[in-house]
Amino acid sequence: MKNTDWLDTIEWNEQGLIPVITQEASTRDVLTLAWINREALAKTVECGEAVYWSRSRQKLWHKGEESGHIQKIVDIRLDCDNDALIYLVEQKGLACHTGRHSCFYQQLQKSDKVEWKAVDPVLKDPSEIYK
Amino acid sequence: MKNTDWLDTIEWNEQGLIPVITQEASTRDVLTLAWINREALAKTVECGEAVYWSRSRQKLWHKGEESGHIQKIVDIRLDCDNDALIYLVEQKGLACHTGRHSCFYQQLQKSDKVEWKAVDPVLKDPSEIYK
């Protein structure tokens, strides 16, 4: 009988999802915030690479399956409310589809007005990532 | 006229919320995953301390208002989809209501079975935090 207690511990939301923060183990940079369901988490643990639930495509999304930019799992953490995870990973290539290291490249700046500015560089042309 | 373009940029969900990852600036530890609405974010930027929306209490929650464990804002980042934030903060005291440094203290461990284990220490008795 397969033990699924560890999956039952999680407080899945009304869509059966929870958010997962993906953090690079070496730099401790936060790379992405994505979503997972039970199946995505079970697959992540089984294969040792980050698998998410794509809310836009409504299907499992093995990160890097097209781009080669996989995320090898180093550690998985659950929070005190059992409703959010951290995947600590080794990131191959780039985490962001814009060709940046992290998805969190827009910084809030206050000068004359408050605005978001893209402050991190594009390291690779996205058209070269998704051929 | 008050500029609210930077708030309008954000893709608030159907409840008017987005998740925010709070990361300690000095250690780069991820401390919490919480939620904000427009008002919480506006107040955070105005006062320079983390303000969230408490989904359980359905009200604004100025972190540390009871415990003194405030989070001073160092940087705010928005992701590529405009639907998740990072608050980079200086944490006074402890982030977690269990008396731990971070809320993400449960680690997935695989031995005979897969299970979550609390691996980070309780640094302060919660009854001493919330008097």
Side-chain angles (χ1 to χ4, degrees):
Chain A
M1 202 177 71
K2 209 165 176 180
N3 161 39
T4 59
D5 289 355
W6 64 284
L7 288 166
D8 299 334
T9 297
I10 294 174
E11 299 285 342
W12 305 99
N13 74 10
E14 59 278 9
Q15 285 97 41
L17 305 175
I18 59 164
V20 54
I21 299 159
T22 302
Q23 183 179 25
E24 189 170 49
S26 57
T27 61
R28 314 209 80 209
D29 288 341
V30 173
L31 301 176
T32 59
L33 184 86
W35 292 78
I36 52 170
N37 60 8
R38 281 178 73 99
E39 193 184 354
L41 180 55
K43 279 197 185 290
T44 297
V45 171
E46 190 186 320
C47 76
E49 294 176 0
V51 178
Y52 304 103
W53 176 255
S54 170
R55 293 179 303 165
S56 56
R57 289 177 289 165
Q58 288 285 304
K59 63 172 194 172
L60 286 182
W61 165 37
H62 188 152
K63 174 85 174 171
E65 62 192 350
E66 288 180 49
S67 63
H69 294 179
I70 62 161
Q71 298 172 325
K72 194 177 165 197
I73 298 292
V74 175
D75 193 7
I76 298 180
R77 294 295 189 108
L78 177 64
D79 78 345
C80 53
D81 294 329
N82 297 332
D83 64 0
L85 282 192
I86 297 174
Y87 285 170
L88 209 69
V89 303
E90 284 174 24
Q91 173 72 54
K92 308 288 179 194
L94 307 166
C96 186
H97 76 287
T98 66
R100 292 178 175 89
H101 173 60
S102 160
C103 292
F104 291 90
Y105 60 83
Q106 301 181 94
Q107 183 179 51
L108 193 69
Q109 296 191 353
K110 292 188 272 187
S111 49
D112 295 347
K113 58 177 186 175
V114 181
E115 61 189 330
W116 300 104
K117 285 208 176 154
V119 293
D120 297 335
V122 174
L123 300 172
K124 193 167 183 177
D125 186 330
S127 67
E128 289 180 33
I129 302 174
Y130 304 95
K131 287 173 189 167
Chain B
M1 202 175 73
K2 209 164 173 181
N3 162 40
T4 59
D5 290 356
W6 65 283
L7 288 167
D8 298 334
T9 297
I10 294 174
E11 299 284 344
W12 305 99
N13 74 9
E14 57 279 8
Q15 285 97 40
L17 305 175
I18 59 165
V20 54
I21 300 159
T22 302
Q23 185 179 24
E24 189 170 48
S26 57
T27 61
R28 314 208 81 208
D29 288 340
V30 173
L31 301 176
T32 60
L33 183 85
W35 293 78
I36 51 169
N37 60 7
R38 282 177 72 98
E39 193 184 354
L41 180 55
K43 277 196 186 290
T44 297
V45 171
E46 189 186 318
C47 76
E49 295 176 0
V51 179
Y52 304 102
W53 175 255
S54 170
R55 293 179 304 166
S56 56
R57 289 178 288 166
Q58 289 284 303
K59 64 172 193 171
L60 286 182
W61 166 37
H62 188 151
K63 174 83 174 172
E65 61 192 351
E66 288 180 48
S67 63
H69 293 180
I70 62 161
Q71 298 172 324
K72 194 178 164 195
I73 299 292
V74 175
D75 193 7
I76 298 180
R77 295 295 189 109
L78 177 63
D79 79 344
C80 53
D81 294 329
N82 297 333
D83 64 1
L85 283 193
I86 298 174
Y87 286 169
L88 209 70
V89 303
E90 284 175 23
Q91 173 73 54
K92 307 289 178 195
L94 306 166
C96 186
H97 75 288
T98 66
R100 292 177 174 89
H101 174 61
S102 160
C103 291
F104 292 90
Y105 60 83
Q106 302 181 92
Q107 182 180 51
L108 193 69
Q109 296 192 352
K110 292 188 271 186
S111 49
D112 295 347
K113 59 176 185 175
V114 182
E115 60 189 331
W116 301 103
K117 286 209 176 154
V119 293
D120 297 335
V122 174
L123 300 172
K124 193 166 182 177
D125 186 328
S127 67
E128 288 180 35
I129 302 174
Y130 305 95
K131 286 174 189 167

